[in-house]
Amino acid sequence: MSKVISLANQKGGVGKTTTSINLAAALAAQGKRVLLIDADPQANTSSGLGVEIRELDNTIYECLINGVDPHTAIVQTNTKNLSLIPSHIDLVGAEIEMLNIEHREQLLKNVLTQVRDEFDYVLIDCSPSLGLITVNALTASDSVIIPVQCEFFALEGIAKLLNTIKIIKSKLNPSLKIEGFLLTMFDNRLRLSNQVYEEVKRHFGDLVFNTVIARNVRLSEAPSHGVSVLEYDPSSKGAQNYKSLAKELIKRNK
C-alpha cells in the first residue's frame, strides 16, 4: 500500500519545492517507486526535473478538470524509480473552475485512486497558499510534511496551516496526520538558526525530523540543470541531507 504525503506551507520560499524534488529522488535512490505530483501553478517542480511543460498534452490540470486518465499525464524522469505528474500555468484558473464541480475537495483523491497502488510513495508539492488545490492535496493525503525555514518569522503562518489541517481532519479526511516538521536552510554558524530549531522542537517535539536541511549552494544550482541535487552533486551536503531524510521517513513508516 502506498503512502501519500503532501508538502505544504502557505509561506513561500521555505524549501517546499526543493524538498519535494530531492526527497522524491532520495526515496527513489532507496529503491522505492515514487510518484511526484506538481500541484503548484508555477510548475517549478516540473521544470526542476527537466520537464518541458509546453510539449505536454496532459498535466495535473487535465486530470482534475477534464477527468483525464492520470496514466496519460505521468512522465518518466531521468531518475530511476521516479515518475512525475507535471503542473501547468492553467492550474491558476483551476480553483475557479472547480467551484461548480460536485465534491470538488475530492477531485485529486479520485485521480490518485487510479494510480497510487503502482507506487510506494506519492509526494504532492503544494502551492504556497491554502486554496482549493491545497485542500484537495491534504484531502488526498495520508500525512503532511511541513517545511520550516530557519528564519525569524519561521512559525508565522504555521498556526493557520495547522488550523486548516484540523478542519480537513474533521470534515474531509479524518486519517490525515502530520508526518513531521522539516527545518530547512539551516546554518549552524548562526545563532538564529539554532534558536529557531530549539523553538520548533519545543513546540512540536517528536514531530520534528531529526534531519535538518543545511544551506547549500548545490541545492539551489541543481534545478537550473533539470536534475535533483543527488544527480547534480551526490557528495554535496544537500544530497547527504536528503538521503538522510529519506532514510528517516522510511524508518518512520515501517
Side-chain angles (χ1 to χ4, degrees):
M1 186 65 177
S2 66
K3 175 118 192 202
V4 181
I5 304 173
S6 278
L7 289 100
N9 190 333
Q10 78 272 23
K11 200 170 187 301
V14 298
K16 198 162 30 57
T17 297
T18 299
T19 295
S20 298
I21 291 171
N22 294 300
L23 175 56
L27 287 167
Q30 290 290 317
K32 302 298 181 186
R33 297 164 304 159
V34 183
L35 175 63
L36 180 54
I37 296 177
D38 190 351
D40 185 345
Q42 294 177 79
N44 291 335
T45 293
S46 305
S47 57
L49 281 169
V51 173
E52 189 51 68
I53 298 156
R54 285 167 296 187
E55 294 174 5
L56 300 172
D57 291 325
N58 292 321
T59 65
I60 193 63
Y61 171 83
E62 282 77 19
C63 297
L64 290 170
I65 303 302
N66 302 332
V68 163
D69 183 341
H71 291 95
T72 65
I74 293 176
V75 174
Q76 300 306 317
T77 70
N78 294 323
T79 302
K80 186 184 174 186
N81 296 327
L82 176 55
S83 303
L84 170 77
I85 296 184
S87 183
H88 192 275
I89 191 66
D90 286 353
L91 203 59
V92 168
E95 299 203 352
I96 296 166
E97 294 177 72
M98 288 161 84
L99 290 174
N100 297 319
I101 301 174
E102 206 174 343
H103 306 302
R104 55 185 176 268
E105 300 89 356
Q106 310 275 352
L107 293 173
L108 185 53
K109 185 176 183 178
N110 296 338
V111 168
L112 285 187
T113 303
Q114 301 171 61
V115 294
R116 67 176 287 173
D117 289 342
E118 297 162 33
F119 299 92
D120 299 307
Y121 286 91
V122 178
L123 302 185
I124 308 172
D125 181 25
C126 299
S127 65
S129 75
L130 293 178
L132 195 46
I133 303 283
T134 299
V135 168
N136 260 265
L138 294 173
T139 302
S141 296
D142 300 306
S143 63
V144 54
I145 290 174
I146 303 170
V148 181
Q149 186 182 355
C150 290
E151 54 145 47
F152 186 68
F153 294 114
L155 294 178
E156 194 179 73
I158 284 184
K160 198 171 180 184
L161 175 60
L162 293 178
N163 191 48
T164 300
I165 291 169
K166 189 177 171 185
I167 292 166
I168 286 168
K169 269 178 76 85
S170 67
K171 299 201 183 310
L172 296 163
N173 184 3
S175 59
L176 182 64
K177 292 181 172 62
I178 293 174
E179 190 71 44
F181 291 84
L182 175 68
L183 275 297
T184 63
M185 305 178 204
F186 183 81
D187 187 341
N188 62 6
R189 297 168 302 176
L190 299 178
R191 192 168 66 178
L192 179 61
S193 279
N194 290 291
Q195 285 172 339
V196 170
Y197 179 82
E198 292 303 325
E199 188 178 0
V200 174
K201 194 78 179 162
R202 190 170 67 248
H203 269 81
F204 303 111
D206 291 342
L207 284 174
V208 182
F209 283 104
N210 294 322
T211 304
V212 296
I213 309 300
R215 279 196 181 277
N216 182 247
V217 175
R218 294 308 209 195
L219 270 179
S220 47
E221 289 174 350
S224 64
H225 296 269
V227 293
S228 73
V229 74
L230 280 80
E231 212 171 317
Y232 181 62
D233 187 350
S235 62
S236 66
K237 184 76 173 168
Q240 298 307 317
N241 286 165
Y242 279 108
K243 285 177 193 170
S244 170
L245 178 63
K247 287 174 184 170
E248 188 177 349
L249 182 63
I250 291 166
K251 195 174 176 184
R252 282 188 180 202
N253 286 286
K254 273 185 176 172

